Amino acid sequence: MKYLNLTLAILLATSLVGCGMLDEKEKGDSKQKMGMGGALPVDIFVAKKGDGEMSFEYPARIQSQQDVVLVPKVSGTLLKQNFKPGDKVKAGDVLFMIDPDTYEAAYEVAKANILQANATLKNAKHEADRVNKLYVQKAVSQKDYDNAIANLEGATANLASANANAKTAKLNLDYTKITAPFDGIVSENLVDVGTHVIATSTKLVRLTKLNPIDARFYIADIDSMTMNQNLQDSTWSQVGTQAILTLNSKEFQGKINFIDSSVDTSTGRVLAKAEFANENGELLPGSFARISMNGFVQKDAIIVPLIAILQDTVSPYVYIIEDGKAMKKAVKISYQNMTHAYISQGINENDQIIINNFKKIGTGVPVVVDTKPQTASQSQDKGSK
């Protein structure tokens, strides 16, 4: 019994010593995790100034710059069609021919009327010259003189009218050839050869310009106001009017050629257009795509990974390290994309911006840098894990 009690005492003492050693080890590990003096370990991003490139992305719809349905300017019977549906045509190419016989005859009559009017005018001039000489000699009456002058003026007017009629007849004759007003692609013909077409009424064929081609899109009014304000106060600069259109995972380079000066009150947006080369006809009118407006640069921007940006009920903010403690700083974001935000107010160059451990830190909480400062890309990668 004495030996049993001694054994139990030894075991109890050993157990107490072991527990004490374990408690000390756990306390040491906890201090190491908390950092020196109980400070929370955090990763940081050191703020640096630089010129940041910006782009704005919107949905867009591809639209032809010119898309018309051709109609005849004169009536008549279609004699010929000089294209196949889907053909590329050049400006001035003859697409249809209307029976010209009636218009040729009218033009010939008009030319004959010019000859007759010229002969009448020549005779009137001779008569007016003769009467004028006699009138000076007081050999004819005032009435004879007035009649001669009136006949001359009438003959002059008749010639002018004959010339105008001939010009009209020539235009009508020319209009029997239906030509393409611009380069483009023709649709399926809307009438067949042999059809009697009516001037300004019968639809003949659709002609669509494909090169170059436009992308039509709308800029959010807040984006438009931000752009204008920042460009005016020189916070931003614009180094070009580049645009990138993305369609079916393929990119097309172009340029912005129009931004409206007013907001559409029905949509609250601003209309804009960009032009793209389309030699191969890959961009078809009516297709939907994504467009990026590029060429904007913010001067001396502090570019911060989005993982560092927090939001309260008042404004976005970040935590920075000051005197070994986390301090909350409200910031003004002038631009952001999927990974980074451009800060224009609230933090300074070389500020140490905390990028993790947000559930444990707060204003005034002691913190210590856990690792070396992160780059922008590293901090974003870390935040995504």
Side-chain angles (χ1 to χ4, degrees), residues 89-106:
V89 298
K90 296 288 186 181
D93 286 353
V94 177
L95 306 180
F96 291 100
M97 173 70 75
I98 294 175
D99 185 355
D101 289 349
T102 301
Y103 300 100
E104 286 177 348

Side-chain angles (χ1 to χ4, degrees), residues 149-221:
I149 297 302
N151 290 336
L152 177 60
E153 291 174 350
T156 302
N158 287 337
L159 177 60
S161 178
N163 283 324
N165 289 336
K167 184 177 181 179
T168 299
K170 181 63 169 61
L171 284 174
N172 287 336
L173 178 59
D174 291 341
Y175 289 153
T176 60
K177 296 178 180 179
I178 314 298
T179 60
F182 52 82
D183 296 355
I185 291 182
V186 288
S187 69
E188 183 180 17
N189 52 295
L190 304 178
V191 292
D192 295 323
V193 171
T195 302
H196 182 81
V197 297
I198 307 300
T200 71
S201 177
T202 305
K203 296 179 179 180
L204 302 175
V205 69
R206 185 171 188 170
L207 177 63
T208 304
K209 182 177 182 179
L210 293 183
N211 185 37
I213 200 165
D214 283 347
R216 180 188 179 103
F217 61 102
Y218 287 90
I219 302 172
D221 57 351

Side-chain angles (χ1 to χ4, degrees), residues 336-373:
Q336 73 179 56
N337 53 30
M338 297 296 292
T339 58
H340 294 86
Y342 291 20
I343 307 301
S344 59
Q345 293 179 15
I347 55 178
N348 301 312
E349 191 169 24
N350 296 321
D351 278 350
Q352 295 181 319
I353 302 172
I354 298 173
I355 61 173
N356 66 352
N357 223 351
F358 297 123
K359 291 184 178 180
K360 297 181 180 179
I361 64 174
T363 300
V365 172
V367 293
V368 63
V369 177
D370 189 31
T371 60
K372 65 181 181 179

